[in-house]
Amino acid sequence: MAVPKRKTAKSATRSRRSANMKMTAKTLVKCSNCGEFALPHHVCAECGHYKGREVIAK
Ligand SMILES: [Zn+2]
């Protein structure tokens, strides 16, 4: 069975974790119906519209 040749250094582990766990601001798009900010590819939380039609009655 293959075994890692070297122990992963603390700095390498921490550097990888900090890069992968980085917090980034969520991407927001403007709702085509009401102009509120909404998550892309999601029904608008304010008016319930998606792709130009009402999906959830508000
Ligand atoms: Zn909307």
Side-chain angles (χ1 to χ4, degrees), residues 11 28 39 44 51:
S11 64
L28 290 172
L39 294 170
C44 174
K51 272 196 164 182

Side-chain angles (χ1 to χ4, degrees), residues 31-36 38 44-49:
C31 172
S32 56
N33 184 57
C34 65
E36 272 294 322
C44 174
E46 292 298 316
C47 62
H49 276 67

Side-chain angles (χ1 to χ4, degrees), residues 1 5 7-10 12-14 20-21 26 29 32-33 39-43 45-46 49 52-53 56:
M1 200 175 94
K5 195 168 187 179
K7 164 185 173 176
T8 307
K10 271 183 230 166
T13 304
R14 288 168 184 173
N20 294 339
M21 288 161 63
K26 279 222 170 79
V29 295
S32 56
N33 184 57
L39 294 170
H41 307 109
H42 284 254
V43 173
E46 292 298 316
H49 276 67
R53 67 185 184 92
I56 300 164

